[in-house]
């Protein structure tokens, strides 16, 4: 059964850090790019960061230099290290694979507020 489970969100002050995790199962994780998305209230879901099957990383302009995506194929997991968080980073964060999307997980809420 295909499953994506995100975790690691929370409430953090501006300038703080969080590390999100996504545990994937039910598909051949290592051959796919993995993607972090986010959806803020009242906005469409947007791509945040991508890591290819070969470990090449790309980022949305809004998070470049602050966020780092990584993956561990031995654990079927993808991570998002978020530093210097800003209030505009507040959103529910989701992971999914590249190409055709899998059913979405529940996401993990990130709230950046003082």
């Amino acid at each position: 059964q295909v499953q994506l489970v995100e975790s690691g969100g929370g409430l953090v002050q501006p300038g703080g850090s969080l590390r999100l995790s996504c545990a994937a199962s039910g598909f051949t994780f290592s051959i796919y790019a993995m993607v972090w998305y986010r959806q803020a209230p009242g906005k469409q879901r947007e791509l945040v960061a991508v890591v290819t099957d070969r470990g090449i990383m790309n980022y949305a302009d809004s998070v470049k230099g602050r966020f780092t995506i990584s993956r561990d194929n031995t654990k079927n997991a993808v991570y998002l290290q978020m530093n210097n968080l800003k209030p505009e980073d507040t959103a529910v964060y989701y992971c999914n694979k590249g190409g055709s999307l899998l059913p979405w997980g529940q996401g993990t809420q990130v709230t950046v507020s003082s």
Side-chain angles (χ1 to χ4, degrees):
Q1 181 181 358
V2 171
Q3 194 171 22
L4 298 165
V5 180
E6 301 90 350
S7 61
L11 172 63
V12 64
Q13 292 186 341
S17 298
L18 284 173
R19 185 177 188 244
L20 306 184
S21 299
C22 168
S25 59
F27 64 102
T28 309
F29 179 84
S30 62
I31 68 172
Y32 292 103
M34 290 299 296
V35 186
W36 280 100
Y37 296 86
R38 67 186 180 187
Q39 187 167 20
K43 295 187 177 181
Q44 289 191 332
R45 196 168 297 180
E46 63 174 354
L47 186 150
V48 175
V50 181
V51 58
T52 71
D53 59 327
R54 298 185 180 184
I56 298 170
M57 299 166 284
N58 280 292
Y59 301 92
D61 287 344
S62 59
V63 306
K64 278 181 182 176
R66 301 188 297 120
F67 290 11
T68 303
I69 189 171
S70 61
R71 66 189 297 160
D72 185 339
N73 289 342
T74 67
K75 297 181 179 179
N76 284 6
V78 60
Y79 307 99
L80 188 68
Q81 177 67 43
M82 306 187 297
N83 298 328
N84 190 22
L85 282 159
K86 303 177 180 181
E88 51 264 41
D89 296 318
T90 295
V92 180
Y93 285 70
Y94 303 87
C95 66
N96 215 306
K97 73 171 189 60
S100 55
L101 294 172
L102 299 172
W104 295 98
Q106 83 288 349
T108 186
Q109 174 71 49
V110 172
T111 303
V112 185
S113 175
S114 55

